[in-house]
Amino acid sequence: SVESRERLRDSMESSGRPDGRKSSESIRPTSCERGVLQRADGSVRYSQGNSEVVVAVNGPMQVRSRDELIDRAALEVIFKPVSGKQGQKHTKYEIGLRDCLSHMILRKAHPYTKIQVVVQVIEDDGSILSVAINAACLALIDAGVQIVTAVTSITVAIDEKNEKMLLDPIEKEENSTAASLTFAFSAETKGIVLLTQTQGKTNIKGCMLAEGIANKGAARLQNFKRSFFKKAFNLGAS
């Protein structure tokens, strides 16, 4: 309703945040460096605030016959936490990443091969799945892998009453709200290619309100990616 949207907007505009951001719709400072791993076909170091990952991409490359797919490239995604063994949530992140990147990569162009994406978390201060998806997208482009569309991801934290929503939440915000939703959007169609609850529970109303906020945030991140590669490859405006 109009009333609920106005209440949500007022709540978002009045909230201060633990990391100093004044707006609930603001995104943390974003940075990216490409070509950070010499032995990878493509690699980036990417961060949003204190959340940081390094992603390596290799392929398309030869694959064992038992793993071959006759109509498309096999896709292997590995998600490595900061330290220790991979837990259940990291396995969930791998599945989300694989689903998301499957929409992005033109896999049918490379049958009988494999594309490998390895995400190493350097620091996790919230929204880490979104950070990993954004980094993987950039690393695939750096590797020259053929893509159908770029994908951009953002996380939204929601309170129990759907009255307060935080874009790109830090870990403290994720832990103090009822749920966190991670969205990924196609740059080509603007449609959602991934929606997953990375923490807690919410309802359909919460998802719909969060989607609108997430879409705006993803558009800003997509502009960052576009500008980054224009500078990286010395592409002028055409």
Side-chain angles (χ1 to χ4, degrees):
S1 68
V2 174
E3 182 181 352
S4 64
R5 287 197 296 270
E6 289 178 348
R7 189 165 59 246
L8 173 62
R9 185 182 66 247
D10 292 342
S11 171
M12 294 176 70
E13 289 176 349
S14 63
S15 61
R17 303 181 67 173
D19 60 357
R21 283 178 285 172
K22 295 181 180 179
S23 169
S24 294
E25 291 191 77
S26 63
I27 298 171
R28 292 172 290 178
T30 306
S31 68
C32 186
E33 179 184 359
R34 61 182 284 260
V36 296
L37 300 174
Q38 292 184 350
R39 294 185 179 181
D41 292 327
S43 61
V44 300
R45 179 185 291 267
Y46 177 87
S47 64
Q48 286 172 216
N50 291 330
S51 290
E52 182 176 351
V53 299
V54 171
V55 177
V57 172
N58 286 293
M61 57 187 176
Q62 288 185 332
V63 63
R64 291 175 296 186
S65 57
R66 69 181 185 185
D67 297 325
E68 285 180 346
L69 300 174
I70 63 172
D71 60 342
R72 63 192 185 280
L75 177 60
E76 180 182 23
V77 176
I78 302 170
F79 189 100
K80 297 183 178 181
V82 177
S83 61
K85 294 182 179 180
Q86 190 184 66
Q88 186 176 358
K89 72 174 181 179
H90 304 118
T91 302
K92 185 177 180 180
Y93 292 163
E94 277 188 353
I95 294 169
L97 263 168
R98 189 180 299 109
D99 288 347
C100 199
L101 299 181
S102 291
H103 284 87
M104 177 179 170
I105 301 169
L106 187 61
R107 296 171 64 188
K108 66 181 181 180
H110 303 285
Y112 302 104
T113 66
K114 179 176 77 171
I115 297 169
Q116 182 189 68
V117 180
V118 181
V119 177
Q120 174 64 64
V121 179
I122 306 301
E123 184 173 353
D124 180 359
D125 186 28
S127 304
I128 197 64
L129 178 56
S130 287
V131 172
I133 291 170
N134 292 328
C137 173
L138 291 163
L140 284 162
I141 295 171
D142 184 56
V145 174
Q146 289 179 275
I147 64 172
V148 178
T149 180
V151 172
T152 300
S153 180
I154 195 77
T155 297
V156 180
I158 313 171
D159 73 354
E160 292 182 357
K161 296 182 179 180
N162 299 327
E163 292 180 353
K164 184 176 183 179
M165 300 201 178
L166 303 171
L167 196 65
D168 188 26
I170 63 173
E171 184 178 29
K172 184 176 181 180
E173 291 172 323
E174 286 185 316
N175 292 338
S176 63
T177 49
S180 293
L181 296 177
T182 295
F183 295 85
F185 298 91
S186 163
E188 187 72 23
T189 66
K190 309 302 180 185
I192 296 175
V193 297
L194 175 71
L195 168 57
T196 181
Q197 288 188 183
T198 45
Q199 187 169 302
K201 294 181 180 180
T202 188
N203 54 28
I204 295 175
K205 179 183 176 182
C207 289
M208 292 177 65
L209 290 170
E211 179 188 345
I213 297 163
N215 211 325
K216 294 177 183 177
R220 298 202 297 273
L221 284 173
Q222 181 60 33
N223 287 336
F224 166 82
K225 292 180 182 180
R226 191 178 296 112
S227 297
F228 173 78
F229 273 106
K230 278 187 176 181
K231 292 178 181 177
F233 294 112
N234 296 316
L235 299 175
S238 57

